[in-house]
Amino acid sequence: MPQPIESPTDTWNETLHAHFGQHFTMDTLLYRQKTDLQDLIIFENAAFGRVMALDGVVQTTERDEFIYHEMMAHVPLIAHGQAKKVLIIGGGDGGMLREVSRHTGVEQITMVEIDAGVITFCRQYLPRHSAGAFDDPRFTLVIDDGVNFVTGSQEKFDVIISDCTDPIGPGASLFTSDFYQGCARCLNEGGIFVAQNGVCFLQQDEAVNSHRKLSHYFGDVSFYQAAVPTYYGGIMTFAWASQHAALRHLDPEILRQRVAAAGLECRYYNPAIHNGSFALPQYLLNALTA
Ligand code: SAM
């Protein structure tokens, strides 16, 4: 049962970075348990609504989750233009599934989530994230490590979205060459891979490493970006990989037509944001070519 915090000054401190961080007042502790794999906490915060964290790192908040989930779902799906099969790696809170499900042309959505407990508790305590998407008839759930799935599956997908944690704990396997090679193998012709790749100002090495590894398996590798307030420290970079650079440079009119045809009314994503999100800061471009 939710436990009202006696003294609202109780705070939760993020531990992603060693020498600085962000904190949230915990106004109501809704859930805390070590699942078999991760330390899961969900609490109410006056500024961001319900907050979910795994192993001391903010995963998602009710107030700003739409930015991340819209950008990770609609940029690759609109760029692809005719995706039928989508694979979500991770994504246990259901927000990515909710946004992918908005694309009526998609016929099958497979989620490979390592921790069933995350789904169970997010369905209960973050219902607005999934908004019923877990009951979509197109949805199939696989409980497994994402790297096992993509290295062993015989299935092919049009878009693969790695909605993973940071490369610590169980998330580390989703930043390996084996994982990226497996994703390349599991993509159809014209397929697109995207992945959360951290805040590049603070986690630049992660972006450089992903770019280097992905480049062994994909002909066109880059990033796109959006600022998500609770992934603090500047823009979050999303890894982008495909075999055709043209997928990253769509004509604005074609983008506009596809967004209109999809009937997408979003709170962050729009055609101009889509194209503009591929513009990257010079310090990152320099690091990627160093
Ligand atoms: N939006 C968040 C972010 O950007 O950090 C990610 C949120 S989502 C909750 C991350 C999910 O990845 C969690 O449900 C976690 O259980 C899952 N996950 C972590 N490592 C995984 C792995 N190796 N295979 C599949 N799922 C994994």
Side-chain angles (χ1 to χ4, degrees):
M1 283 300 290
Q3 304 149 26
I5 299 273
E6 293 311 314
S7 54
T9 53
D10 282 4
T11 61
W12 179 87
N13 296 295
E14 185 169 54
T15 57
L16 178 58
H17 300 289
H19 306 293
F20 59 92
Q22 63 179 341
H23 73 266
F24 297 79
T25 56
M26 286 203 291
D27 305 315
T28 304
L29 177 59
L30 295 169
Y31 190 81
R32 168 155 233 171
Q33 185 187 32
K34 275 189 178 298
T35 69
D36 293 341
L37 292 157
Q38 300 171 111
D39 179 358
L40 170 66
I41 187 170
I42 302 177
F43 58 86
E44 291 273 8
N45 169 265
F48 281 92
R50 294 189 173 188
V51 179
M52 188 263 271
L54 288 171
D55 293 337
V57 181
V58 170
Q59 298 297 303
T60 189
T61 82
E62 284 183 323
R63 185 170 177 193
D64 69 0
E65 59 84 10
F66 70 96
I67 301 170
Y68 170 86
H69 291 122
E70 288 180 9
M71 288 301 283
M72 283 273 281
H74 305 317
V75 173
L77 283 169
I78 293 294
H80 184 285
Q82 50 189 1
K84 297 284 186 291
K85 293 183 66 179
V86 177
L87 174 62
I88 299 170
I89 304 292
D93 54 76
M96 198 65 66
L97 176 61
R98 179 196 73 220
E99 290 303 311
V100 170
S101 301
R102 294 176 65 185
H103 292 260
T104 53
V106 169
E107 297 170 355
Q108 180 188 319
I109 311 167
T110 302
M111 176 186 285
V112 181
E113 164 57 58
I114 198 168
D115 191 338
V118 175
I119 294 176
T120 303
F121 302 119
C122 287
R123 290 191 75 157
Q124 181 174 356
Y125 292 110
L126 291 176
R128 286 199 287 266
H129 270 60
S130 51
F134 283 120
D135 300 321
D136 190 308
R138 297 171 291 173
F139 173 62
T140 302
L141 176 63
V142 174
I143 300 299
D144 196 358
D145 188 322
V147 70
N148 295 342
F149 183 87
V150 296
T151 50
S153 175
Q154 298 313 308
E155 282 199 74
K156 296 277 190 183
F157 300 89
D158 300 304
V159 169
I160 299 177
I161 301 170
S162 181
D163 178 16
C164 56
T165 49
D166 289 282
I168 46 180
S173 66
L174 304 184
F175 293 81
T176 62
S177 292
D178 285 348
F179 177 67
Y180 295 142
Q181 184 176 29
C183 289
R185 188 181 66 82
C186 287
L187 279 172
N188 285 317
E189 167 57 27
I192 298 170
F193 168 80
V194 297
Q196 88 82 4
N197 221 126
V199 171
C200 59
F201 184 76
L202 299 172
Q203 298 163 278
Q204 185 172 290
D205 288 350
E206 293 172 27
V208 171
N209 289 334
S210 295
H211 187 270
R212 176 174 45 75
K213 293 174 185 174
L214 284 164
S215 297
H216 289 298
Y217 311 108
F218 292 92
D220 181 60
V221 178
S222 188
F223 294 88
Y224 62 109
Q225 49 91 1
V228 184
T230 53
Y231 304 151
Y232 69 91
I235 56 171
M236 165 166 266
T237 32
F238 308 109
W240 171 280
S242 79
Q243 303 303 352
H244 305 287
L247 287 167
R248 201 159 40 96
H249 304 290
L250 266 71
D251 175 84
E253 181 51 25
I254 291 176
L255 265 180
R256 195 198 58 73
Q257 290 169 7
R258 288 184 184 176
V259 172
L264 281 180
E265 293 286 333
C266 295
R267 297 170 60 197
Y268 184 84
Y269 176 84
N270 63 44
I273 282 276
H274 180 125
N275 261 339
S277 69
F278 286 97
L280 299 174
Q282 195 58 44
Y283 70 81
L284 177 59
L285 295 174
N286 293 343
L288 296 176
T289 52

